[in-house]
Amino acid sequence: MIKILKKADLRDKSILRRCSEPDPAVTASVSEIIKNVRAHGDAAVREYSIKFDGSCPDTLELPREALAEAVNKVPSELLDVIREASRRIERYHRAQLRQSYEVETDGTILMMKVRPLDTVGAYVPGGTAPYPSTVLMNVVPAKIAGVKEIIMVSPPTCRGEISPVILATAYIAGVDRVFQVGGAQAIAALAYGTESIPKVDKIVGPGNAYVAEAKRQVFGPVGIDLVAGPSEILVISDGTSNPAVVAADMLSQAEHDKLSTAVLITTSEKLAKDTAAEIEKQLSVLPREAIARVSIENNGLILITDSIEDAIDLANEVAPEHLELCVDNPFDYVSLIKNAGSVFLGKYCPEALGDYFSGTNHTLPTGGTANYGSPLSVDDFIKKTSFTYYTAAALNTVKDSIALFARQEELEGHARSVLSRGNSD
C-alpha cells in the first residue's frame, strides 16, 4: 500500500527525491568493459555481447536495406502513428534552432558561429521491449540541428535481431547507420571507436544502470546528453481530480522500473485516500504489476498539504522529471514552477502525451537534476565557436586596461602579450 503523510509529518524530504549513487560493482564492471573494448575493439564487443545478450550477429552493422525492409514488417496503422509523432516532434524542436550572430563596434568584430556536431551516437534500448519513441526523441532533434552522421546502436532481442519497429522508426527518422550491439560495450565502442564502429562526438539515449554508468565514465573524450536515472512523476491536485485518473498517471511511471518514483501532493485528504485505493485496484490488473507494486510500495508517496502553493514549493525542492499540475486553472500557477523536467498542465494532459505524441522531448533530467538540467533539445546537437577581431587602434585603446587586469592576477605573460603590440603593429 502506498504511504500517505501530511506535510507536518514529513521529517525527511529526501523521501521525495530519489538520488541513487552508482553501484560500486556496476562501476567496476563497466570500467573493465571499457578498458577491454579500447584495447581489443570488435573482439571485446562480440565477447560481451555473447556474455550479456546471449548472442552476437556475424556482422555488427546492419545493411541500410534492412531498415527499409523493416518498414514492410510493421503494421501500417502503427507506421502512421510513428510518422505523425515524428512530425509533431519536428515541429516543436524546429523552433529551437539557433542562429549565428555578429556584434560590431568601432574596430572590433565579435562573432558566434553555430554549427552541428559531425557525428552522434544514439543508444536505443531493445533487449526486453522495443522503444520506437526513444528513436524519435533522440534522432529528430539531431536531424534538425544538421548532424552529419547519426549512428544508432541497439541490442538484439533474444531472437538475435533488432525489433522491426525500431528499425522502421530509425528509417523514418533518418538514422544513417545501425549497429546490433547494446550495453556498456556499445557505449565504449561509440566513445573510442573499433574496427567496425566509428567514434562519435556525442552519445545520447537512455539505458540500464550499466549503460548510464558507461556514459558517465566515457564523458570527456566524448560528450553525453545526461546520465538518466529511474523515472519519476509528481502529481499536484487541488482535490477536484478524478482519483482513478491520478492513480493511472502515477502507475504509468511506476511500471517503468522498481526504482521509479510516483508521488501525489494534494490539498484533499479524501483524494489522497481515494487515490490510494484506486492504485491498489488498478495494480491488480496491470500487466507489469510485479514491477509497479515494488515501485509504489518502496518509493511511492501521497502527501497532504494546506495549499497548492505549498505543493509547488515542495515540487520545486524535488525537481521532478515529470510534473503534472492537475487543477482547473493551471496557468495561474505556471510562474511558480521553477524546477521540473517537463510540466503537464490541466486535467486532460497525462504525462504519456510527452512520452509519445505532444512533440516535447521525453529525454529528461532525473534524480533532482532538473534544478539545473534541461530536456534533450536541438542545443544538444550543436556547438558554438566564438570569433574575435580587433584593429590596431581598437587594441590600443584597451591594452593598458588588459595589462592591469592581468597583473592583478599575477599573469605577467598575459600583460606583455598585449603590450608587445605597438600602435602600428
mmCIF file of all heavy atoms in Angstrom, residues 30-80:
data_model
loop_
_atom_site.group_PDB
_atom_site.id
_atom_site.type_symbol
_atom_site.label_atom_id
_atom_site.label_comp_id
_atom_site.label_asym_id
_atom_site.label_seq_id
_atom_site.Cartn_x
_atom_site.Cartn_y
_atom_site.Cartn_z
ATOM 1 N N VAL A 30 31.808 -1.927 -15.406
ATOM 2 C CA VAL A 30 31.803 -1.058 -16.580
ATOM 3 C C VAL A 30 33.211 -0.584 -16.912
ATOM 4 O O VAL A 30 33.611 -0.528 -18.082
ATOM 5 C CB VAL A 30 30.856 0.136 -16.358
ATOM 6 C CG1 VAL A 30 31.064 1.207 -17.423
ATOM 7 C CG2 VAL A 30 29.411 -0.340 -16.361
ATOM 8 N N SER A 31 33.977 -0.263 -15.889
ATOM 9 C CA SER A 31 35.356 0.179 -16.118
ATOM 10 C C SER A 31 36.156 -0.892 -16.841
ATOM 11 O O SER A 31 36.933 -0.598 -17.762
ATOM 12 C CB SER A 31 36.012 0.513 -14.774
ATOM 13 O OG SER A 31 37.347 0.925 -14.963
ATOM 14 N N GLU A 32 35.952 -2.155 -16.451
ATOM 15 C CA GLU A 32 36.661 -3.264 -17.096
ATOM 16 C C GLU A 32 36.195 -3.438 -18.536
ATOM 17 O O GLU A 32 37.010 -3.698 -19.442
ATOM 18 C CB GLU A 32 36.419 -4.550 -16.304
ATOM 19 C CG GLU A 32 37.197 -5.750 -16.791
ATOM 20 C CD GLU A 32 38.702 -5.625 -16.582
ATOM 21 O OE1 GLU A 32 39.128 -4.765 -15.779
ATOM 22 O OE2 GLU A 32 39.452 -6.394 -17.233
ATOM 23 N N ILE A 33 34.894 -3.293 -18.773
ATOM 24 C CA ILE A 33 34.366 -3.417 -20.135
ATOM 25 C C ILE A 33 34.957 -2.347 -21.042
ATOM 26 O O ILE A 33 35.411 -2.635 -22.163
ATOM 27 C CB ILE A 33 32.825 -3.318 -20.111
ATOM 28 C CG1 ILE A 33 32.217 -4.557 -19.436
ATOM 29 C CG2 ILE A 33 32.273 -3.154 -21.536
ATOM 30 C CD1 ILE A 33 30.735 -4.438 -19.148
ATOM 31 N N ILE A 34 34.965 -1.115 -20.555
ATOM 32 C CA ILE A 34 35.502 -0.016 -21.363
ATOM 33 C C ILE A 34 36.980 -0.251 -21.671
ATOM 34 O O ILE A 34 37.448 -0.058 -22.811
ATOM 35 C CB ILE A 34 35.306 1.330 -20.641
ATOM 36 C CG1 ILE A 34 33.809 1.671 -20.565
ATOM 37 C CG2 ILE A 34 36.071 2.451 -21.345
ATOM 38 C CD1 ILE A 34 33.494 2.890 -19.709
ATOM 39 N N LYS A 35 37.728 -0.668 -20.673
ATOM 40 C CA LYS A 35 39.160 -0.937 -20.854
ATOM 41 C C LYS A 35 39.382 -1.990 -21.938
ATOM 42 O O LYS A 35 40.248 -1.828 -22.807
ATOM 43 C CB LYS A 35 39.752 -1.401 -19.524
ATOM 44 C CG LYS A 35 41.226 -1.766 -19.590
ATOM 45 C CD LYS A 35 41.716 -2.256 -18.236
ATOM 46 C CE LYS A 35 43.166 -2.727 -18.305
ATOM 47 N NZ LYS A 35 43.632 -3.239 -16.982
ATOM 48 N N ASN A 36 38.605 -3.061 -21.897
ATOM 49 C CA ASN A 36 38.783 -4.145 -22.867
ATOM 50 C C ASN A 36 38.359 -3.738 -24.275
ATOM 51 O O ASN A 36 39.000 -4.128 -25.266
ATOM 52 C CB ASN A 36 37.998 -5.383 -22.428
ATOM 53 C CG ASN A 36 38.692 -6.138 -21.313
ATOM 54 O OD1 ASN A 36 39.893 -6.013 -21.132
ATOM 55 N ND2 ASN A 36 37.936 -6.919 -20.548
ATOM 56 N N VAL A 37 37.270 -2.966 -24.380
ATOM 57 C CA VAL A 37 36.831 -2.514 -25.698
ATOM 58 C C VAL A 37 37.870 -1.579 -26.310
ATOM 59 O O VAL A 37 38.164 -1.651 -27.511
ATOM 60 C CB VAL A 37 35.444 -1.847 -25.623
ATOM 61 C CG1 VAL A 37 35.094 -1.171 -26.953
ATOM 62 C CG2 VAL A 37 34.372 -2.868 -25.254
ATOM 63 N N ARG A 38 38.450 -0.714 -25.499
ATOM 64 C CA ARG A 38 39.501 0.176 -26.008
ATOM 65 C C ARG A 38 40.705 -0.626 -26.499
ATOM 66 O O ARG A 38 41.325 -0.278 -27.509
ATOM 67 C CB ARG A 38 39.949 1.149 -24.912
ATOM 68 C CG ARG A 38 38.915 2.183 -24.527
ATOM 69 C CD ARG A 38 39.504 3.218 -23.578
ATOM 70 N NE ARG A 38 40.463 4.083 -24.258
ATOM 71 C CZ ARG A 38 41.108 5.100 -23.680
ATOM 72 N NH1 ARG A 38 40.887 5.356 -22.388
ATOM 73 N NH2 ARG A 38 41.945 5.843 -24.357
ATOM 74 N N ALA A 39 41.017 -1.693 -25.794
ATOM 75 C CA ALA A 39 42.212 -2.470 -26.135
ATOM 76 C C ALA A 39 41.971 -3.465 -27.268
ATOM 77 O O ALA A 39 42.867 -3.697 -28.099
ATOM 78 C CB ALA A 39 42.708 -3.216 -24.891
ATOM 79 N N HIS A 40 40.785 -4.042 -27.334
ATOM 80 C CA HIS A 40 40.567 -5.164 -28.254
ATOM 81 C C HIS A 40 39.446 -4.926 -29.272
ATOM 82 O O HIS A 40 39.160 -5.815 -30.078
ATOM 83 C CB HIS A 40 40.277 -6.436 -27.454
ATOM 84 C CG HIS A 40 41.348 -6.765 -26.459
ATOM 85 N ND1 HIS A 40 42.616 -7.142 -26.827
ATOM 86 C CD2 HIS A 40 41.339 -6.748 -25.099
ATOM 87 C CE1 HIS A 40 43.355 -7.359 -25.740
ATOM 88 N NE2 HIS A 40 42.606 -7.131 -24.678
ATOM 89 N N GLY A 41 38.800 -3.779 -29.247
ATOM 90 C CA GLY A 41 37.857 -3.407 -30.289
ATOM 91 C C GLY A 41 36.708 -4.371 -30.480
ATOM 92 O O GLY A 41 36.055 -4.801 -29.525
ATOM 93 N N ASP A 42 36.458 -4.735 -31.733
ATOM 94 C CA ASP A 42 35.320 -5.590 -32.078
ATOM 95 C C ASP A 42 35.323 -6.916 -31.319
ATOM 96 O O ASP A 42 34.262 -7.431 -30.938
ATOM 97 C CB ASP A 42 35.322 -5.889 -33.581
ATOM 98 C CG ASP A 42 34.813 -4.726 -34.414
ATOM 99 O OD1 ASP A 42 34.332 -3.734 -33.810
ATOM 100 O OD2 ASP A 42 34.887 -4.809 -35.645
ATOM 101 N N ALA A 43 36.504 -7.477 -31.096
ATOM 102 C CA ALA A 43 36.583 -8.773 -30.412
ATOM 103 C C ALA A 43 35.976 -8.674 -29.015
ATOM 104 O O ALA A 43 35.236 -9.569 -28.569
ATOM 105 C CB ALA A 43 38.030 -9.246 -30.342
ATOM 106 N N ALA A 44 36.277 -7.583 -28.310
ATOM 107 C CA ALA A 44 35.724 -7.393 -26.973
ATOM 108 C C ALA A 44 34.224 -7.125 -27.035
ATOM 109 O O ALA A 44 33.460 -7.628 -26.207
ATOM 110 C CB ALA A 44 36.434 -6.239 -26.271
ATOM 111 N N VAL A 45 33.799 -6.340 -28.030
ATOM 112 C CA VAL A 45 32.368 -6.071 -28.195
ATOM 113 C C VAL A 45 31.611 -7.377 -28.397
ATOM 114 O O VAL A 45 30.560 -7.610 -27.779
ATOM 115 C CB VAL A 45 32.129 -5.112 -29.385
ATOM 116 C CG1 VAL A 45 30.637 -5.039 -29.720
ATOM 117 C CG2 VAL A 45 32.667 -3.723 -29.065
ATOM 118 N N ARG A 46 32.149 -8.248 -29.243
ATOM 119 C CA ARG A 46 31.494 -9.534 -29.501
ATOM 120 C C ARG A 46 31.481 -10.405 -28.244
ATOM 121 O O ARG A 46 30.482 -11.067 -27.935
ATOM 122 C CB ARG A 46 32.212 -10.263 -30.640
ATOM 123 C CG ARG A 46 32.056 -9.588 -31.996
ATOM 124 C CD ARG A 46 32.772 -10.371 -33.082
ATOM 125 N NE ARG A 46 32.622 -9.733 -34.368
ATOM 126 C CZ ARG A 46 31.535 -9.825 -35.132
ATOM 127 N NH1 ARG A 46 30.504 -10.552 -34.710
ATOM 128 N NH2 ARG A 46 31.475 -9.207 -36.294
ATOM 129 N N GLU A 47 32.582 -10.403 -27.537
ATOM 130 C CA GLU A 47 32.680 -11.216 -26.317
ATOM 131 C C GLU A 47 31.608 -10.806 -25.306
ATOM 132 O O GLU A 47 30.919 -11.656 -24.733
ATOM 133 C CB GLU A 47 34.075 -11.050 -25.713
ATOM 134 C CG GLU A 47 34.254 -11.764 -24.381
ATOM 135 C CD GLU A 47 35.581 -11.424 -23.716
ATOM 136 O OE1 GLU A 47 36.510 -10.952 -24.417
ATOM 137 O OE2 GLU A 47 35.686 -11.618 -22.493
ATOM 138 N N TYR A 48 31.472 -9.513 -25.095
ATOM 139 C CA TYR A 48 30.490 -9.047 -24.109
ATOM 140 C C TYR A 48 29.057 -9.210 -24.610
ATOM 141 O O TYR A 48 28.143 -9.461 -23.818
ATOM 142 C CB TYR A 48 30.767 -7.592 -23.740
ATOM 143 C CG TYR A 48 31.998 -7.424 -22.883
ATOM 144 C CD1 TYR A 48 33.073 -6.653 -23.330
ATOM 145 C CD2 TYR A 48 32.095 -8.034 -21.641
ATOM 146 C CE1 TYR A 48 34.209 -6.498 -22.550
ATOM 147 C CE2 TYR A 48 33.230 -7.886 -20.857
ATOM 148 C CZ TYR A 48 34.282 -7.115 -21.312
ATOM 149 O OH TYR A 48 35.409 -6.974 -20.540
ATOM 150 N N SER A 49 28.851 -9.089 -25.913
ATOM 151 C CA SER A 49 27.506 -9.284 -26.456
ATOM 152 C C SER A 49 27.043 -10.715 -26.232
ATOM 153 O O SER A 49 25.896 -10.973 -25.861
ATOM 154 C CB SER A 49 27.478 -8.940 -27.948
ATOM 155 O OG SER A 49 27.722 -7.566 -28.144
ATOM 156 N N ILE A 50 27.935 -11.662 -26.442
ATOM 157 C CA ILE A 50 27.597 -13.070 -26.207
ATOM 158 C C ILE A 50 27.366 -13.317 -24.718
ATOM 159 O O ILE A 50 26.421 -14.010 -24.321
ATOM 160 C CB ILE A 50 28.718 -13.978 -26.746
ATOM 161 C CG1 ILE A 50 28.774 -13.902 -28.279
ATOM 162 C CG2 ILE A 50 28.512 -15.424 -26.293
ATOM 163 C CD1 ILE A 50 29.978 -14.560 -28.887
ATOM 164 N N LYS A 51 28.199 -12.709 -23.888
ATOM 165 C CA LYS A 51 28.100 -12.904 -22.442
ATOM 166 C C LYS A 51 26.813 -12.338 -21.874
ATOM 167 O O LYS A 51 26.129 -12.988 -21.065
ATOM 168 C CB LYS A 51 29.303 -12.255 -21.757
ATOM 169 C CG LYS A 51 29.283 -12.374 -20.234
ATOM 170 C CD LYS A 51 30.526 -11.735 -19.634
ATOM 171 C CE LYS A 51 30.509 -11.835 -18.107
ATOM 172 N NZ LYS A 51 31.723 -11.226 -17.499
ATOM 173 N N PHE A 52 26.445 -11.107 -22.298
ATOM 174 C CA PHE A 52 25.304 -10.428 -21.682
ATOM 175 C C PHE A 52 23.998 -10.588 -22.457
ATOM 176 O O PHE A 52 22.927 -10.615 -21.865
ATOM 177 C CB PHE A 52 25.616 -8.942 -21.510
ATOM 178 C CG PHE A 52 26.767 -8.670 -20.582
ATOM 179 C CD1 PHE A 52 27.850 -7.916 -20.999
ATOM 180 C CD2 PHE A 52 26.775 -9.176 -19.295
ATOM 181 C CE1 PHE A 52 28.917 -7.663 -20.147
ATOM 182 C CE2 PHE A 52 27.835 -8.931 -18.436
ATOM 183 C CZ PHE A 52 28.919 -8.164 -18.864
ATOM 184 N N ASP A 53 24.095 -10.682 -23.791
ATOM 185 C CA ASP A 53 22.880 -10.764 -24.609
ATOM 186 C C ASP A 53 22.603 -12.178 -25.105
ATOM 187 O O ASP A 53 21.538 -12.442 -25.676
ATOM 188 C CB ASP A 53 22.974 -9.817 -25.811
ATOM 189 C CG ASP A 53 23.104 -8.361 -25.387
ATOM 190 O OD1 ASP A 53 22.546 -8.007 -24.322
ATOM 191 O OD2 ASP A 53 23.769 -7.592 -26.099
ATOM 192 N N GLY A 54 23.566 -13.068 -24.946
ATOM 193 C CA GLY A 54 23.359 -14.455 -25.357
ATOM 194 C C GLY A 54 23.737 -14.763 -26.778
ATOM 195 O O GLY A 54 23.771 -15.928 -27.188
ATOM 196 N N SER A 55 24.031 -13.722 -27.558
ATOM 197 C CA SER A 55 24.416 -13.945 -28.953
ATOM 198 C C SER A 55 25.055 -12.690 -29.514
ATOM 199 O O SER A 55 24.971 -11.618 -28.916
ATOM 200 C CB SER A 55 23.199 -14.321 -29.805
ATOM 201 O OG SER A 55 22.292 -13.236 -29.874
ATOM 202 N N CYS A 56 25.683 -12.860 -30.652
ATOM 203 C CA CYS A 56 26.247 -11.705 -31.362
ATOM 204 C C CYS A 56 26.145 -11.967 -32.857
ATOM 205 O O CYS A 56 26.574 -13.021 -33.344
ATOM 206 C CB CYS A 56 27.713 -11.492 -30.971
ATOM 207 S SG CYS A 56 28.455 -10.041 -31.768
ATOM 208 N N PRO A 57 25.548 -11.056 -33.619
ATOM 209 C CA PRO A 57 25.408 -11.260 -35.068
ATOM 210 C C PRO A 57 26.768 -11.384 -35.752
ATOM 211 O O PRO A 57 27.777 -10.878 -35.267
ATOM 212 C CB PRO A 57 24.674 -9.990 -35.517
ATOM 213 C CG PRO A 57 24.064 -9.416 -34.280
ATOM 214 C CD PRO A 57 24.969 -9.785 -33.160
ATOM 215 N N ASP A 58 26.783 -12.071 -36.868
ATOM 216 C CA ASP A 58 28.024 -12.227 -37.626
ATOM 217 C C ASP A 58 28.574 -10.871 -38.058
ATOM 218 O O ASP A 58 29.781 -10.642 -38.056
ATOM 219 C CB ASP A 58 27.781 -13.100 -38.865
ATOM 220 C CG ASP A 58 27.448 -14.539 -38.484
ATOM 221 O OD1 ASP A 58 27.865 -14.975 -37.395
ATOM 222 O OD2 ASP A 58 26.762 -15.210 -39.280
ATOM 223 N N THR A 59 27.657 -9.977 -38.433
ATOM 224 C CA THR A 59 28.036 -8.627 -38.836
ATOM 225 C C THR A 59 27.412 -7.630 -37.874
ATOM 226 O O THR A 59 26.190 -7.605 -37.718
ATOM 227 C CB THR A 59 27.558 -8.320 -40.273
ATOM 228 O OG1 THR A 59 28.059 -9.319 -41.150
ATOM 229 C CG2 THR A 59 28.037 -6.947 -40.715
ATOM 230 N N LEU A 60 28.253 -6.811 -37.239
ATOM 231 C CA LEU A 60 27.732 -5.864 -36.253
ATOM 232 C C LEU A 60 26.839 -4.815 -36.904
ATOM 233 O O LEU A 60 25.815 -4.423 -36.337
ATOM 234 C CB LEU A 60 28.889 -5.183 -35.514
ATOM 235 C CG LEU A 60 29.737 -6.071 -34.601
ATOM 236 C CD1 LEU A 60 30.877 -5.258 -33.979
ATOM 237 C CD2 LEU A 60 28.876 -6.695 -33.506
ATOM 238 N N GLU A 61 27.206 -4.358 -38.094
ATOM 239 C CA GLU A 61 26.422 -3.310 -38.753
ATOM 240 C C GLU A 61 25.355 -3.926 -39.642
ATOM 241 O O GLU A 61 25.623 -4.842 -40.420
ATOM 242 C CB GLU A 61 27.315 -2.395 -39.585
ATOM 243 C CG GLU A 61 26.538 -1.248 -40.222
ATOM 244 C CD GLU A 61 27.425 -0.208 -40.895
ATOM 245 O OE1 GLU A 61 28.649 -0.447 -41.002
ATOM 246 O OE2 GLU A 61 26.900 0.857 -41.279
ATOM 247 N N LEU A 62 24.165 -3.387 -39.528
ATOM 248 C CA LEU A 62 23.075 -3.799 -40.406
ATOM 249 C C LEU A 62 23.171 -3.061 -41.730
ATOM 250 O O LEU A 62 23.470 -1.866 -41.759
ATOM 251 C CB LEU A 62 21.725 -3.477 -39.766
ATOM 252 C CG LEU A 62 21.142 -4.474 -38.774
ATOM 253 C CD1 LEU A 62 19.868 -3.906 -38.168
ATOM 254 C CD2 LEU A 62 20.842 -5.800 -39.453
ATOM 255 N N PRO A 63 22.897 -3.725 -42.837
ATOM 256 C CA PRO A 63 22.869 -3.010 -44.119
ATOM 257 C C PRO A 63 21.711 -2.019 -44.141
ATOM 258 O O PRO A 63 20.677 -2.235 -43.515
ATOM 259 C CB PRO A 63 22.675 -4.122 -45.152
ATOM 260 C CG PRO A 63 22.057 -5.247 -44.388
ATOM 261 C CD PRO A 63 22.604 -5.160 -42.998
ATOM 262 N N ARG A 64 21.885 -0.960 -44.882
ATOM 263 C CA ARG A 64 20.848 0.079 -44.968
ATOM 264 C C ARG A 64 19.523 -0.500 -45.457
ATOM 265 O O ARG A 64 18.454 -0.066 -45.039
ATOM 266 C CB ARG A 64 21.333 1.182 -45.921
ATOM 267 C CG ARG A 64 20.350 2.326 -46.139
ATOM 268 C CD ARG A 64 20.189 3.170 -44.911
ATOM 269 N NE ARG A 64 19.194 4.227 -45.125
ATOM 270 C CZ ARG A 64 18.744 5.020 -44.168
ATOM 271 N NH1 ARG A 64 19.192 4.885 -42.943
ATOM 272 N NH2 ARG A 64 17.842 5.945 -44.429
ATOM 273 N N GLU A 65 19.612 -1.504 -46.329
ATOM 274 C CA GLU A 65 18.387 -2.086 -46.876
ATOM 275 C C GLU A 65 17.522 -2.724 -45.787
ATOM 276 O O GLU A 65 16.301 -2.810 -45.912
ATOM 277 C CB GLU A 65 18.721 -3.156 -47.917
ATOM 278 C CG GLU A 65 19.563 -2.684 -49.092
ATOM 279 C CD GLU A 65 21.026 -2.517 -48.745
ATOM 280 O OE1 GLU A 65 21.647 -3.463 -48.203
ATOM 281 O OE2 GLU A 65 21.529 -1.408 -48.989
ATOM 282 N N ALA A 66 18.158 -3.165 -44.694
ATOM 283 C CA ALA A 66 17.407 -3.806 -43.619
ATOM 284 C C ALA A 66 16.435 -2.836 -42.962
ATOM 285 O O ALA A 66 15.362 -3.236 -42.510
ATOM 286 C CB ALA A 66 18.366 -4.383 -42.577
ATOM 287 N N LEU A 67 16.785 -1.552 -42.930
ATOM 288 C CA LEU A 67 15.895 -0.549 -42.341
ATOM 289 C C LEU A 67 14.674 -0.355 -43.224
ATOM 290 O O LEU A 67 13.539 -0.304 -42.731
ATOM 291 C CB LEU A 67 16.633 0.780 -42.165
ATOM 292 C CG LEU A 67 17.478 0.940 -40.895
ATOM 293 C CD1 LEU A 67 18.654 -0.027 -40.895
ATOM 294 C CD2 LEU A 67 17.959 2.374 -40.738
ATOM 295 N N ALA A 68 14.914 -0.259 -44.526
ATOM 296 C CA ALA A 68 13.792 -0.080 -45.452
ATOM 297 C C ALA A 68 12.889 -1.306 -45.453
ATOM 298 O O ALA A 68 11.654 -1.190 -45.507
ATOM 299 C CB ALA A 68 14.326 0.196 -46.857
ATOM 300 N N GLU A 69 13.498 -2.500 -45.377
ATOM 301 C CA GLU A 69 12.703 -3.731 -45.361
ATOM 302 C C GLU A 69 11.863 -3.835 -44.095
ATOM 303 O O GLU A 69 10.757 -4.396 -44.108
ATOM 304 C CB GLU A 69 13.634 -4.941 -45.477
ATOM 305 C CG GLU A 69 14.309 -5.061 -46.835
ATOM 306 C CD GLU A 69 15.398 -6.112 -46.834
ATOM 307 O OE1 GLU A 69 15.599 -6.758 -45.772
ATOM 308 O OE2 GLU A 69 16.053 -6.288 -47.886
ATOM 309 N N ALA A 70 12.376 -3.296 -43.000
ATOM 310 C CA ALA A 70 11.646 -3.370 -41.736
ATOM 311 C C ALA A 70 10.327 -2.611 -41.796
ATOM 312 O O ALA A 70 9.359 -2.981 -41.115
ATOM 313 C CB ALA A 70 12.512 -2.821 -40.603
ATOM 314 N N VAL A 71 10.294 -1.571 -42.616
ATOM 315 C CA VAL A 71 9.060 -0.786 -42.747
ATOM 316 C C VAL A 71 7.910 -1.683 -43.208
ATOM 317 O O VAL A 71 6.764 -1.515 -42.768
ATOM 318 C CB VAL A 71 9.270 0.390 -43.727
ATOM 319 C CG1 VAL A 71 7.953 1.118 -43.982
ATOM 320 C CG2 VAL A 71 10.315 1.355 -43.180
ATOM 321 N N ASN A 72 8.210 -2.643 -44.049
ATOM 322 C CA ASN A 72 7.175 -3.540 -44.576
ATOM 323 C C ASN A 72 6.717 -4.583 -43.559
ATOM 324 O O ASN A 72 5.730 -5.283 -43.797
ATOM 325 C CB ASN A 72 7.693 -4.249 -45.828
ATOM 326 C CG ASN A 72 8.045 -3.281 -46.937
ATOM 327 O OD1 ASN A 72 7.340 -2.297 -47.150
ATOM 328 N ND2 ASN A 72 9.139 -3.545 -47.641
ATOM 329 N N LYS A 73 7.438 -4.683 -42.444
ATOM 330 C CA LYS A 73 7.097 -5.676 -41.424
ATOM 331 C C LYS A 73 6.271 -5.085 -40.276
ATOM 332 O O LYS A 73 5.888 -5.799 -39.358
ATOM 333 C CB LYS A 73 8.371 -6.288 -40.848
ATOM 334 C CG LYS A 73 9.240 -6.996 -41.874
ATOM 335 C CD LYS A 73 10.526 -7.509 -41.237
ATOM 336 C CE LYS A 73 11.431 -8.164 -42.279
ATOM 337 N NZ LYS A 73 12.702 -8.625 -41.675
ATOM 338 N N VAL A 74 6.035 -3.768 -40.339
ATOM 339 C CA VAL A 74 5.308 -3.086 -39.264
ATOM 340 C C VAL A 74 3.909 -2.743 -39.756
ATOM 341 O O VAL A 74 3.743 -2.261 -40.891
ATOM 342 C CB VAL A 74 6.057 -1.796 -38.840
ATOM 343 C CG1 VAL A 74 5.284 -1.058 -37.751
ATOM 344 C CG2 VAL A 74 7.462 -2.150 -38.344
ATOM 345 N N PRO A 75 2.885 -2.963 -38.936
ATOM 346 C CA PRO A 75 1.517 -2.632 -39.346
ATOM 347 C C PRO A 75 1.393 -1.175 -39.789
ATOM 348 O O PRO A 75 1.969 -0.277 -39.166
ATOM 349 C CB PRO A 75 0.691 -2.895 -38.086
ATOM 350 C CG PRO A 75 1.481 -3.912 -37.328
ATOM 351 C CD PRO A 75 2.926 -3.583 -37.599
ATOM 352 N N SER A 76 0.662 -0.951 -40.874
ATOM 353 C CA SER A 76 0.550 0.399 -41.445
ATOM 354 C C SER A 76 -0.054 1.387 -40.453
ATOM 355 O O SER A 76 0.314 2.569 -40.432
ATOM 356 C CB SER A 76 -0.294 0.352 -42.720
ATOM 357 O OG SER A 76 -1.594 -0.159 -42.450
ATOM 358 N N GLU A 77 -0.970 0.916 -39.620
ATOM 359 C CA GLU A 77 -1.584 1.807 -38.632
ATOM 360 C C GLU A 77 -0.541 2.340 -37.656
ATOM 361 O O GLU A 77 -0.537 3.526 -37.313
ATOM 362 C CB GLU A 77 -2.692 1.065 -37.877
ATOM 363 C CG GLU A 77 -3.441 1.945 -36.873
ATOM 364 C CD GLU A 77 -4.529 1.188 -36.137
ATOM 365 O OE1 GLU A 77 -4.571 -0.065 -36.238
ATOM 366 O OE2 GLU A 77 -5.339 1.832 -35.465
ATOM 367 N N LEU A 78 0.355 1.463 -37.216
ATOM 368 C CA LEU A 78 1.417 1.894 -36.305
ATOM 369 C C LEU A 78 2.398 2.815 -37.018
ATOM 370 O O LEU A 78 2.858 3.811 -36.444
ATOM 371 C CB LEU A 78 2.147 0.675 -35.735
ATOM 372 C CG LEU A 78 3.320 0.962 -34.797
ATOM 373 C CD1 LEU A 78 2.898 1.833 -33.618
ATOM 374 C CD2 LEU A 78 3.948 -0.351 -34.306
ATOM 375 N N LEU A 79 2.728 2.507 -38.275
ATOM 376 C CA LEU A 79 3.622 3.377 -39.037
ATOM 377 C C LEU A 79 3.043 4.788 -39.162
ATOM 378 O O LEU A 79 3.774 5.780 -39.059
ATOM 379 C CB LEU A 79 3.867 2.797 -40.428
ATOM 380 C CG LEU A 79 4.797 1.592 -40.520
ATOM 381 C CD1 LEU A 79 4.807 1.058 -41.942
ATOM 382 C CD2 LEU A 79 6.209 1.955 -40.077
ATOM 383 N N ASP A 80 1.746 4.891 -39.382
ATOM 384 C CA ASP A 80 1.098 6.205 -39.484
ATOM 385 C C ASP A 80 1.250 6.980 -38.188
ATOM 386 O O ASP A 80 1.500 8.194 -38.189
ATOM 387 C CB ASP A 80 -0.383 6.041 -39.831
ATOM 388 C CG ASP A 80 -0.613 5.573 -41.261
ATOM 389 O OD1 ASP A 80 0.333 5.685 -42.067
ATOM 390 O OD2 ASP A 80 -1.722 5.093 -41.551
#
